[in-house]
Each structure stands twice: as structure tokens, then as C-alpha cells.
Amino acid sequence: MPLTLDQAAQLMNRDLEQFLNRCPLSISSAGQKKGTVKFYLYSLGDTAYGINQGVRMNEMRLRLSTTALSSNAKAVQCIHIPVSQFEQLKPESISKVTHYDAADFLVTTQLTGCTFAIRKAKGGGLEFLHVQPNGDFDGSKIQKAIKTEFQVSFGKGDGSNASTYGNNTRVTVLGQRRNNFWKVYAQYQDANGNVTGVDCIYEEANSAVAYVD
């Protein structure tokens, strides 16, 4: 039996990896907004396959959006990472996240050819970048180019490891901070929105010095 919206929201807070395995999720863009943005979690009104303990099961398709399109939508404070085109990249395209950012979830719009990059920031915190292909640069070239500058460069490729995803795959990227440490996951979906797998693409080392106010 599919999870209710309340159950899905509780699971998202309690165990993000299990939530992403079970619940097909898409994330709408918040434009060029950076930092903390209020999103709303709601059902799209239909189902797709999720994965529950290795078994494919029908679950509600969910969306995180800045607009509450359902009366029972659940508000979620999220740090939003905007999209930048590769040929228009500039230092301001990078989003820096520190312990001063109040939200404990991190979102960006769905990847269909883009690269999502993560690295440690000078002076503490993390830097994130979502790059969209354009011009003469396709997704796989961008993934390789960004890899030279960032600790994590997750983008288009052959899908043979947790740093690339293949053709006909859409990816939802969602991160969560617990005890001041971030874990960022990729949920893979096929063309019909069914979950085909989940990878942790970044885990902040617990051996790092915790932030102190």
C-alpha cells in the first residue's frame, strides 16, 4: 500500500535514503534564488514504482515546489541551488552553504543532462554548483571538466558508477544535514518516473571539525 503524504514526510525527515528509494520525487526550480527557500511537499495524484527493501512497489509520485498546489502540502525549509549555464559560469554561480544557513535540506531542480558539483569551501562550509549544458558542451564533457575543480562532479556519462548517470535517466538530487554534516543523494528515475536506484553521491566526513557558533 502506498505511503500517505504524512508518512512520506515523516520518512523524509527520519531516513532520507529510504524515502528516496520508496518515493518517486521531482523538484521544481526556485529560479535563481539562493539560500533558504520554503518548498512544499505534495502528491501529484498518480503513482509510479518505488523500491521497498529491494521490491518494486507502487508509491505516490511526489513533488517539492515553491508553490503549494495541494491543500495538505507539507512545508519544508530547503537550501536551493540554482542552475547556471556552462558558458555563463562565473564565481557568483557557486552557492556556499555554512552552518549559518538554517535549513537542513538541500535541493536543486531535476537533472536530465546537467552536472551537480560539490567541494569544501575555503574558510569552512561547502560549495555547490548545478551546471546546464549549452553550446558546444554536452553533459559528459561538462561532467569531466567540472571534475577537475570539484571534489564531486556528478553528471552525464555511462552510469557505471555513482559519479555519472546514463541516457534516458532523470535524477533527483536531495541532501540532508544531520549533526552539522551533510549527505547528498541521487535518486535515479526512468522515463516514466519509476525509481530505479539511489546513490549517496557525497557524505561529509564525521572526522571533520564540527561547526561552532
Side-chain angles (χ1 to χ4, degrees), residues 66-212:
T66 55
T67 304
L69 297 181
S70 170
S71 59
N72 63 342
K74 307 296 181 183
V76 184
Q77 293 290 108
C78 300
I79 297 170
H80 177 251
I81 309 301
V83 180
S84 299
Q85 292 192 347
F86 184 70
E87 291 186 344
Q88 298 175 3
L89 285 179
K90 49 191 175 183
E92 295 78 27
S93 302
I94 297 171
S95 298
K96 184 174 181 179
V97 175
T98 72
H99 66 296
Y100 294 109
D101 293 287
D104 288 327
F105 287 100
L106 182 139
V107 300
T108 193
T109 190
Q110 201 167 42
L111 278 60
T112 56
C114 299
T115 291
F116 190 76
I118 309 168
R119 69 184 178 192
K120 291 184 178 180
K122 294 180 180 178
L126 297 173
E127 291 181 335
F128 297 87
L129 180 65
H130 182 157
V131 186
Q132 184 179 53
N134 67 329
D136 296 328
F137 295 91
D138 63 20
S140 60
K141 289 180 180 178
I142 290 175
Q143 188 271 335
K144 292 172 183 175
I146 297 296
K147 191 176 181 179
T148 64
E149 299 291 336
F150 281 77
Q151 180 182 350
V152 171
S153 178
F154 177 80
K156 199 70 175 289
D158 59 13
S160 61
N161 53 51
S163 65
T164 61
Y165 58 95
N167 293 326
N168 303 315
T169 300
R170 298 180 291 185
V171 182
T172 293
V173 173
L174 184 60
Q176 185 179 34
R177 174 168 47 191
R178 284 189 179 276
N179 301 318
N180 282 328
F181 298 104
W182 283 99
K183 290 183 77 171
V184 182
Y185 293 93
Q187 179 194 74
Y188 306 97
Q189 297 179 14
D190 63 20
N192 295 315
N194 301 305
V195 178
T196 60
V198 173
D199 277 324
C200 177
I201 61 172
Y202 178 80
E203 182 173 4
E204 196 170 6
N206 286 336
S207 60
V209 177
Y211 296 124
V212 178

Side-chain angles (χ1 to χ4, degrees), residues 21-32:
N21 270 293
R22 287 199 66 171
C23 302
L25 176 71
S26 59
I27 300 174
S28 299
S29 173
Q32 290 302 304

